Amino acid sequence: MIDVNNKVNSFFIFNSTFGPREGEELKRILFFHPNQVSVDAQKMQVGLCEAVVKFMTTFSNEPCEALQTQSKRYIFYQPEKNFWMVLVVRIPYAAKTPSTPGESKEVIETSVIYNLLVSAYKMFRMFVGPFKDIPPEDIYTKCEQFFTPYIMSRNIANDLSNIIQGINYLPLEKNSFFRVVCFIDLLEITYPDFKCVSFVYNEQLIWNGLATNDMLTLYQYLVQTLLPKQVEKEIQGGAVTAAVRHGRFISPPEGIRTSEDLKNLPKVYLMREDDTEMKQYYLIIYRTLSATVCFTIDVNNTLDLDTFKSLDAFIGPKLSTIASSISEQCALHALQNAQISSSEHKFLYFNRLNLACKTSTPASLTPSTAVKPEVLSIIAGIHADRKSLGNYGEIIIKTPDEYWITGKSSNDREFYVIIQEKNANLKDIADEVKRVCEEQMKGIFFYPI
Amino acid sequence: MASTSKDGVPDGDKVAGNLGDDLEPGACSDSILNPEDTFEEFASELTPNLQERNILTAKSSTISEIQSEIGECSQLHGTKSSDNLQSKDESISASTSSSNLLEQNGDEADDKDDYLRSPELVNKEKHVFILSSAGKPIYSRYGNEDKLAGLCGVIQALVSVVEEQNQDILRSISTKDCKVVFLMKGPLILVAVSKSNESETQLVMQLTYAFNQIVSVLTLTQLNRIFEQRRNYDLRRLLSGAERLIDHLLIFMEKDPAFLLGAVRCLPLPEKSRENITNAITSTCNKIRDLVFAILIAGNQLITLVRMKKYTLHPSDIHLLFNLVRSSESFKTAESWTPICLPKFDATGFLHGHVSYISEDCQACLLLLTVQRDAFFPLSQAKHTIADKLRRSNCLVAINDALNRNKELPTTNPLKHIGIPEIRHFMYKCKSTAQLFTSDPICLDKLQDYRLRHKEGGDITEKKITKLSDIEHVRKYRKFCSQIHCTSTPAKLIFRSNSDDTILAWITNGFELYVTFDALMEKDQAIRAIDRLLHWIKREEERIFIMNAPTF
C-alpha cells in the first residue's frame, strides 16, 4: 500500500517553540527526510504545516490530523505537546478508479499512514526516549540517527496484516504453555533483578510481561527488525550452528563475552505490566533455536559479567529443551491444520484487548496471495470506523468487481472475511462467512450469527 | 413511457445479488431532468488542472442559442447573456510568504479567536464562509462577516501559499472531529467547516450549490467581470438578499436527501391529474414561442415540467428554483417578474421568470421561464388561463390532497400501505430520470419546524433522539451514500447491522436504494422485504414519478 520510495514525498518533525523568532525557522525542524531537499523548501513545508495546525485550533480542540491538496496528503501526528511528526504522501485528490484493469490503484487509507507515524514514534520513544527529555542540542542528531534508517526500512506490502497492527500469538496446549511459564518463574526467582518481558517462538508470541502498548512496539521490533537479520545470519553462518543450539545473547549483536560488551547493552524506555510509569531498563535478548526471550534489568543495577555468564548457563539448556518441545508441537499442529481444508477465503481476526491477530495462512494454494488494495482499503475503513458497528454488529460490502467483504464486531473482537464470488446474494455470503467463522474461530462468539 | 408489466421482475433470491437490474421502478427513457451523474461531476470538480483552476469558462450560451433560433436576437441587446466570456480571469497574485503567513495567523489570532469563540459562532455544526480571492468577506452562515475579516485573511493566505509555493491546490484540512473543505471557484473562495458526518465530496457539493446560488443571482459573466475590474470589490453590495437564499439553501441541503442523491422529489399525484395539469399547461402555452420552461412546484416537489424541445433542466437548477420559491414570501402576495440565472442551464445569462402561486387556496407555484425580457403580460394571462383550467378539472384538489397528505392516498404513509413493519425508512432514486421517492414525503410543516429550530442555533447537541425523524435517517445515509459513490473504492451493496438498526444501501444500473430496518435484521428477511418494496414502487410508479417528458 505504501511504497516508501515512490509514494512518500517527505517526512519531517518540527517543534515551533524551538526557534520562536523570525530567522530561526531552521531550528524548528528537528528532522527532515529526504535530507537533500533544500533548506528553503524545508522551511516552506514546515511553515505551511505550522500555519495549518494553528488555523485548525480556531475550530477544533482536537489536534490537526490531515491536510489534503490536489496532489498530496499530509498526515499529522502530535505525540508530545508541540512536537509534530508529518508524513507527506503523494495521493492525488479524489483519485479516480482507472478503467483499465491491472493498473495499480493509489488507495491508501489515512489510518494506515497514521499508524505508521504512531509506530515510528513509539519505537523512537522505546529506544531513544521521549522528545521532551532529550536535550535540544542532541535532538537533531538523535532523530537523524533513528528516523533515517527507520523510514527507509519501512515497506508495506498489500497484505492483510498491515491494515491492523496486531500480535500473532502461538496457541499451545496447556502442558507446553505451563513449561514456558515455569521456566520464566524459575528464572525470575533465581535472578531477581531480571524480569522476562517476552517469549517469542519464530514470530509468534507466547508470553508477555509488558503493558499492552509497549508489547506491540517490542514485538514489532523483534519481528520486523531484529529477528529477520538474525535468521539471515543463522542461515549464512553454518559455523554458528552449535551456538544456535545452545543459545546466546543476540542483543548486543556481538553477544556478551567481555565486560566491554556489557556497555553496548541497549537501554529502553518501557512500562512493565506492574509499572505505573515509564522507566529505563537494559534490554537483554537471548535466543536458542527458534525461541527468543527478552529480559529487562533496571538501569540502576551494576552489571556484572559473571551474572550474565551464569544466566547463559542457566537459560541455554532449559530453553533448548522447551524450544524443541514447542517445535514438535508446532509440527503436529501444522499437520492437523493441513487436514482441515484451508479456507479459500481470506480472513482476519483481531482482538483489541490483547492485540491478538490471526490471518488466513498466506501459504494457501490460491494463485495470488496479495489482496487488492481497494479491498484492504475497505477493511481499513471498517476497522477505523468502530462506532458504526458498535459492540456487536456486522457489515457486508460488495464491490463492483464481485468482492464481498464482511466485517463483524463483538465487543473488542473483530473478524473480516473476503470472498470473491459471482452471482452470490447476501444470504449466501452470510452463510459462507458463518462457516468460515465456525471453522477458524471455534469458540469465539459473534452476534449477529 | 415505461411499461408497468412485471415480466422483468426477479425472484426474491436475486435481490441484493447482482441481478435485479431488470426491475427499475420509475425508469423512463425520456426524462425531463438531465440525469447526468452529479457525483461523477463533483469528483471531476475535484480534479482540475492548476492552470485551469481560476478560469471558469462557460459553454456557449444556451440562452443566446434559443434566442437566435427564435430569430429575435436583434431585439434583445439588453441581455448580457451573449457576452463572450473568455478566460480573462487572471490568476490571483497575492504574495504571501510562509513566514508572514504564520505571523498573520498569529497576530490576528487574538481578536479573531475572541469573535470565533463568541456564542454566535462557537459550537456550530457547520460554518460556511465565502470570500473573494483577495480575502474580502462576502458571506458567513453565522455571525457578522464584517468581524471575520481576520479569519478570511488567514484563509486567503493559506490558499495562496499552497498555490504559489507548492504549485498545488488546497482541498481540505481535518481533525478528529472537524473537516474544513475549500473550494476555489472563479474569483471566489468557499469554505465549509463541518463537525457533521458529511463527507468531503458532500461538502464540496454544498459549496458548489452555494456558489451556484450566487451565480443564479448575478450570472457568471457579471461575477467575473466585477472582479476583473476591481479585485477588491465588496460583493455584498450586489448580493443583498442573496444571503437569505444561501442561508435557506444550506438548511435545505442538510435536510433533504434530494441533494445527497442529486435527484428531484416529485409530488405524488394520480396519473390522470398530472396528465390534466400538463395538458392545461401545454395547451395554454404552445402559442407562446419564447417560453423555455413551464414548471409547477409545490412544497419543494415537482408537479410537472413542460419544456422547449431539446432542452432539459438539471436537478441542481430545479433545487435552486425550489429554494428561491420557498425563501421568497413576496411570491405569495403578487405575481412577480424576476430575472433568474440557472447555472447548469446557462451560467452566462438570465432567463426571465413569471412566478406566481396558482391560487389563494393552493400552495402550488407556477414558474414560466422565457428568454423574452418583456413578456410579463402574455405570461400573466397564460397563468390565469392555466389556473382556471386546473380548477375546473379538479386538479387543485388533487394537489392539495397530496400536499396535505390525505390519509387515503397510498403515498401519504407508504410504509403502512406496503405493510412491511420491519422497514423503518427508505429512499429510492430512479437514476434514468433523476427522481427520488422517500417513505416520508416531506410535509411543509416539518421543514418549517426544522428551519425554526435551526434559526435558534445550528448548535451541536448531544441530545438522545427517541424517535428518529426523517432528518436523522438522512444523516445516517450520508456515510453509505458517500461509500457507494466513492471514487477510489466504490461499493455496490452495503448491508450494515448493529444494535440500533440495520441499513442496506444498494446501487444498480437503474436505481439507488437506501433502507433502514429494525436492529439486527436477518438477511433473508431483508431480501424479501426489499423485493416487496421494489414491487410496490413499481406498482405506484405512475403516481410517484413523472414518467414522461412533455414539450410545448
Side-chain angles (χ1 to χ4, degrees):
Chain A
M1 297 225 281
I2 305 179
D3 174 351
V4 174
N5 296 320
N6 294 321
K7 279 283 168 331
V8 171
N9 172 277
S10 51
F11 169 56
F12 48 89
I13 303 169
F14 69 88
N15 182 333
S16 305
T17 60
F18 275 39
R21 278 185 296 275
E22 204 172 333
E24 295 180 329
E25 288 88 357
L26 201 57
K27 283 195 190 162
R28 301 174 189 167
I29 308 173
L30 307 184
F31 173 73
F32 202 102
H33 167 87
N35 55 12
Q36 58 268 34
V37 170
S38 78
V39 171
D40 281 341
Q42 291 187 14
K43 281 189 204 163
M44 209 170 73
Q45 287 270 42
V46 172
L48 173 66
C49 291
E50 287 179 296
V52 163
V53 164
K54 180 120 207 217
F55 175 70
M56 285 310 279
T57 59
T58 345
F59 298 108
S60 170
N61 298 323
E62 300 282 340
C64 184
E65 276 186 347
L67 160 69
Q68 176 75 55
T69 68
Q70 190 63 39
S71 61
K72 296 186 200 86
R73 190 179 298 163
Y74 296 62
I75 310 294
F76 293 74
Y77 174 52
Q78 182 185 219
E80 295 169 34
K81 191 164 189 278
N82 293 328
F83 286 91
W84 287 90
M85 298 168 75
V86 183
L87 189 69
V88 187
V89 193
R90 286 186 206 94
I91 316 176
Y93 189 41
K96 276 218 161 177
T97 323
S99 42
T100 45
E103 210 174 315
S104 83
K105 295 180 187 179
E106 313 188 7
V107 194
I108 305 178
E109 279 297 309
T110 304
S111 63
V112 173
I113 311 175
Y114 187 80
N115 287 342
L116 187 77
L117 282 176
V118 174
S119 311
Y121 169 72
K122 281 193 181 154
M123 201 68 84
F124 180 83
R125 195 185 56 185
M126 183 172 279
F127 286 95
V128 187
F131 285 129
K132 63 173 170 34
D133 293 353
I134 303 170
E137 59 274 18
D138 293 349
I139 201 161
Y140 304 95
T141 40
K142 291 223 166 169
C143 285
E144 179 67 38
Q145 280 164 3
F146 179 84
F147 285 111
T148 305
Y150 185 85
I151 196 77
M152 293 310 287
S153 69
R154 287 305 96 178
N155 186 18
I156 299 185
N158 284 340
D159 195 69
L160 275 182
S161 55
N162 287 316
I163 307 175
I164 293 171
Q165 303 193 353
I167 293 174
N168 203 342
Y169 284 83
L170 180 68
L172 281 183
E173 55 90 21
K174 53 181 182 283
N175 282 335
S176 307
F177 183 69
F178 197 53
R179 229 172 281 153
V180 172
V181 175
C182 282
F183 161 74
I184 293 167
D185 282 350
L186 189 62
L187 187 136
E188 286 181 355
I189 287 168
T190 325
Y191 300 91
D193 289 340
F194 289 83
K195 189 135 178 67
C196 176
V197 291
S198 88
F199 190 118
V200 171
Y201 185 81
N202 278 334
E203 298 191 336
Q204 295 181 292
L205 187 74
I206 295 176
W207 200 87
N208 155 61
L210 289 177
T212 328
N213 254 329
D214 285 339
M215 170 174 75
L216 181 63
T217 310
L218 181 65
Y219 175 78
Q220 286 176 338
Y221 167 70
L222 291 175
V223 169
Q224 294 169 0
T225 313
L226 186 70
L227 292 181
K229 271 191 232 152
Q230 199 59 38
V231 170
E232 200 178 317
K233 233 198 246 169
E234 283 164 17
I235 293 168
Q236 285 173 348
V240 285
T241 354
V244 172
R245 259 216 99 64
H246 289 158
R248 72 279 177 223
F249 294 102
I250 56 168
S251 169
E254 294 77 31
I256 300 174
R257 291 193 193 88
T258 64
S259 42
E260 274 306 295
D261 288 335
L262 286 178
K263 291 187 185 138
N264 293 332
L265 266 184
K267 290 180 194 168
V268 289
Y269 293 79
L270 287 177
M271 235 170 96
R272 297 199 298 215
E273 245 173 353
D274 30 4
D275 286 350
T276 47
E277 55 181 6
M278 212 162 52
K279 281 194 204 142
Q280 208 177 8
Y281 297 99
Y282 288 110
L283 178 68
I284 301 127
I285 304 173
Y286 193 91
R287 183 169 160 92
T288 306
L289 297 167
S290 296
T292 310
V293 192
C294 300
F295 308 98
T296 54
I297 175 168
D298 200 296
V299 279
N300 297 323
N301 288 2
T302 39
L303 302 175
D304 165 21
L305 187 62
D306 290 339
T307 321
F308 281 86
K309 285 195 167 146
S310 103
L311 191 68
D312 184 18
F314 177 89
I315 304 175
K318 290 196 171 58
L319 191 57
S320 156
T321 326
I322 294 176
S324 339
S325 92
I326 296 176
S327 137
E328 278 164 31
Q329 223 195 34
C330 286
L332 201 71
H333 204 232
L335 210 68
Q336 284 167 346
N337 264 351
Q339 280 163 356
I340 307 176
S341 61
S342 72
S343 161
E344 73 251 60
H345 308 306
K346 297 201 164 47
F347 67 87
L348 168 70
Y349 166 81
F350 180 64
N351 182 339
R352 285 180 195 259
L353 276 186
N354 61 2
L355 306 179
C357 191
K358 182 182 171 181
T359 57
S360 44
T361 33
S364 62
L365 295 169
T366 43
S368 134
T369 49
V371 183
K372 289 185 82 171
E374 297 94 304
V375 173
L376 289 179
S377 182
I378 288 175
I379 294 181
I382 303 173
H383 176 66
D385 180 24
R386 196 182 168 205
K387 260 210 320 257
S388 88
L389 289 188
N391 275 342
Y392 47 98
E394 174 179 34
I395 185 163
I396 302 176
I397 296 177
K398 184 196 179 193
T399 68
D401 38 7
E402 312 291 341
Y403 276 101
W404 293 80
I405 297 127
T406 305
K408 280 167 169 285
S409 121
S410 178
N411 292 320
D412 284 305
R413 290 182 288 265
E414 292 164 27
F415 187 58
Y416 302 94
V417 183
I418 304 165
I419 297 173
Q420 193 178 17
E421 179 86 65
K422 272 194 175 142
N423 300 327
N425 76 22
L426 211 49
K427 180 82 175 111
D428 304 338
I429 297 301
D431 290 345
E432 183 64 19
V433 168
K434 194 170 147 193
R435 204 182 56 72
V436 175
C437 193
E438 271 164 13
E439 194 177 276
Q440 303 288 343
M441 295 285 130
K442 228 172 280 166
I444 294 177
F445 181 67
F446 282 102
Y447 188 83
I449 311 159
Chain B
M1 213 179 277
S3 80
T4 39
S5 80
K6 299 213 170 156
D7 301 342
V9 170
D11 53 344
D13 283 0
K14 301 276 172 63
V15 179
N18 64 340
L19 301 173
D21 295 359
D22 31 0
L23 181 71
E24 293 173 17
C28 168
S29 56
D30 202 5
S31 169
I32 38 166
L33 298 177
N34 179 350
E36 170 193 334
D37 202 332
T38 359
F39 304 99
E40 288 285 303
E41 195 186 324
F42 288 118
S44 63
E45 185 86 71
L46 312 178
T47 50
N49 276 315
L50 189 57
Q51 287 81 6
E52 288 168 10
R53 120 97 171 80
N54 282 308
I55 305 162
L56 280 184
T57 14
K59 303 160 285 189
S60 63
S61 165
T62 317
I63 292 176
S64 41
E65 182 184 315
I66 296 172
Q67 285 166 343
S68 62
E69 248 167 56
I70 295 166
E72 286 175 0
C73 222
S74 49
Q75 298 176 12
L76 294 161
H77 334 274
T79 32
K80 304 284 186 215
S81 58
S82 40
D83 278 14
N84 205 354
L85 176 75
Q86 279 165 355
S87 34
K88 289 184 216 151
D89 188 35
E90 72 235 57
S91 60
I92 305 121
S93 55
S95 52
T96 326
S97 77
S98 64
S99 64
N100 76 27
L101 166 65
L102 192 69
E103 263 164 47
Q104 196 169 348
N105 214 341
D107 286 350
E108 279 155 10
D110 294 336
D111 32 324
K112 176 187 82 192
D113 279 8
D114 280 350
Y115 185 58
L116 280 163
R117 301 214 187 293
S118 70
E120 287 173 74
L121 291 172
V122 86
N123 201 33
K124 296 295 181 209
E125 192 179 62
K126 182 159 68 207
H127 284 285
V128 173
F129 305 108
I130 304 176
L131 47 139
S132 72
S133 51
K136 253 204 160 46
I138 295 172
Y139 169 84
S140 166
R141 184 176 189 186
Y142 302 105
N144 179 348
E145 64 272 2
D146 273 328
K147 296 191 197 162
L148 292 170
L151 177 73
C152 291
V154 175
I155 293 173
Q156 190 273 334
L158 273 177
V159 168
S160 65
V161 160
V162 172
E163 200 162 291
E164 280 159 39
Q165 300 189 342
N166 300 6
Q167 271 71 56
D168 215 334
I169 306 170
L170 183 59
R171 289 304 186 182
S172 70
I173 309 175
S174 55
T175 70
K176 207 178 240 54
D177 65 340
C178 180
K179 278 189 206 82
V180 182
V181 173
F182 299 82
L183 177 67
M184 278 66 84
K185 273 215 159 250
L188 304 185
I189 299 173
L190 300 99
V191 183
V193 179
S194 164
K195 293 193 177 181
S196 74
N197 64 349
E198 288 149 312
S199 73
E200 218 171 296
T201 318
Q202 285 159 4
L203 291 168
V204 169
M205 177 206 76
Q206 297 183 2
L207 292 178
T208 310
Y209 263 100
F211 177 78
N212 283 347
Q213 182 69 70
I214 292 178
V215 169
S216 157
V217 174
L218 291 178
T219 74
L220 191 58
T221 318
Q222 202 183 341
L223 181 67
N224 282 320
R225 188 177 320 112
I226 291 163
F227 284 101
E228 268 160 42
Q229 284 161 1
R230 283 181 57 194
R231 224 173 70 84
N232 247 330
Y233 189 80
D234 186 353
L235 195 66
R236 283 177 301 168
R237 271 183 263 168
L238 279 177
L239 282 181
S240 56
E243 282 99 342
R244 194 175 34 89
L245 289 176
I246 303 173
D247 285 344
H248 282 175
L249 183 67
L250 291 173
I251 295 170
F252 193 13
M253 286 192 284
E254 279 164 12
K255 129 110 218 180
D256 196 324
F259 292 88
L260 203 55
L261 296 179
V264 169
R265 224 182 247 277
C266 303
L267 184 73
L269 279 179
E271 194 189 351
K272 193 78 199 139
S273 308
R274 202 186 309 274
E275 210 178 294
N276 286 340
I277 297 170
T278 308
N279 288 340
I281 294 175
T282 33
S283 61
T284 314
C285 297
N286 59 1
K287 295 273 153 44
I288 310 173
R289 47 186 305 203
D290 322 328
L291 196 58
V292 191
F293 296 108
I295 307 162
L296 188 64
I297 64 178
N300 292 332
Q301 297 162 87
L302 189 62
I303 295 174
T304 189
L305 189 162
V306 187
R307 66 208 170 89
M308 193 178 258
K309 269 197 196 75
K310 287 208 323 211
Y311 301 101
T312 54
L313 270 187
H314 193 275
S316 85
D317 282 340
I318 299 210
H319 289 149
L320 289 182
L321 290 175
F322 284 167
N323 189 48
L324 176 73
V325 171
R326 286 283 320 151
S327 319
S328 315
E329 285 298 314
S330 62
F331 292 150
K332 289 194 175 151
T333 49
E335 290 176 39
S336 312
W337 183 244
T338 173
I340 299 169
C341 169
L342 296 174
K344 284 275 176 189
F345 177 71
D346 184 350
T348 62
F350 284 118
L351 286 169
H352 302 276
H354 178 277
V355 188
S356 62
Y357 281 82
I358 212 84
S359 88
E360 298 245 313
D361 57 348
C362 181
Q363 287 293 299
C365 181
L366 181 69
L367 295 104
L368 301 168
L369 303 179
T370 172
V371 290
Q372 179 76 282
R373 299 187 81 198
D374 43 13
F376 177 84
F377 291 105
L379 292 182
S380 172
Q381 181 99 53
K383 182 245 157 171
H384 287 287
T385 318
I386 293 169
D388 285 344
K389 285 184 182 168
L390 294 189
R391 188 177 299 282
R392 261 182 281 128
S393 57
N394 267 339
C395 292
L396 296 189
V397 178
I399 292 173
N400 279 335
D401 275 353
L403 273 178
N404 299 329
R405 310 188 68 185
N406 186 321
K407 288 218 166 39
E408 308 195 343
L409 295 173
T411 47
T412 295
N413 192 345
L415 290 179
K416 210 167 163 193
H417 193 260
I418 306 166
I420 314 174
E422 6 2 325
I423 295 185
R424 294 180 182 173
H425 184 274
F426 72 85
M427 60 184 199
Y428 174 91
K429 173 192 175 182
C430 171
K431 282 162 78 176
S432 62
T433 57
Q435 293 175 23
L436 143 102
F437 183 71
T438 69
S439 57
D440 47 56
I442 43 170
C443 71
L444 296 177
D445 318 339
K446 264 202 222 163
L447 188 58
Q448 207 62 47
D449 278 359
Y450 183 74
R451 207 167 267 175
L452 284 177
R453 235 180 331 132
H454 209 89
K455 227 174 224 153
E456 287 162 18
D459 287 4
I460 299 162
T461 46
E462 283 294 330
K463 126 179 146 220
K464 180 84 188 147
I465 302 147
T466 41
K467 189 175 183 305
L468 282 185
S469 70
D470 44 339
I471 298 168
E472 267 80 30
H473 280 296
V474 172
R475 264 176 208 277
K476 289 202 170 196
Y477 292 140
R478 283 176 189 159
K479 211 161 57 195
F480 292 85
C481 199
S482 74
Q483 182 149 17
I484 288 246
H485 293 285
C486 173
T487 44
S488 55
T489 54
K492 293 208 65 149
L493 176 89
I494 307 172
F495 176 89
R496 200 273 285 124
S497 157
N498 66 21
S499 53
D500 291 333
D501 52 27
T502 299
I503 295 179
L504 183 135
W506 185 22
I507 185 168
T508 70
N509 293 331
F511 62 82
E512 270 175 58
L513 178 66
Y514 300 81
V515 186
T516 307
F517 297 98
D518 290 342
L520 303 169
M521 182 84 173
E522 280 300 324
K523 280 124 227 151
D524 37 356
Q525 212 182 341
I527 290 171
R528 280 196 300 273
I530 283 187
D531 192 43
R532 279 179 65 193
L533 174 62
L534 287 175
H535 279 102
W536 182 86
I537 300 175
K538 183 79 191 162
R539 202 168 64 228
E540 299 291 336
E541 64 181 357
E542 296 279 355
R543 181 189 289 274
I544 298 174
F545 299 114
I546 300 177
M547 302 284 291
N548 52 10
T551 54
F552 293 120

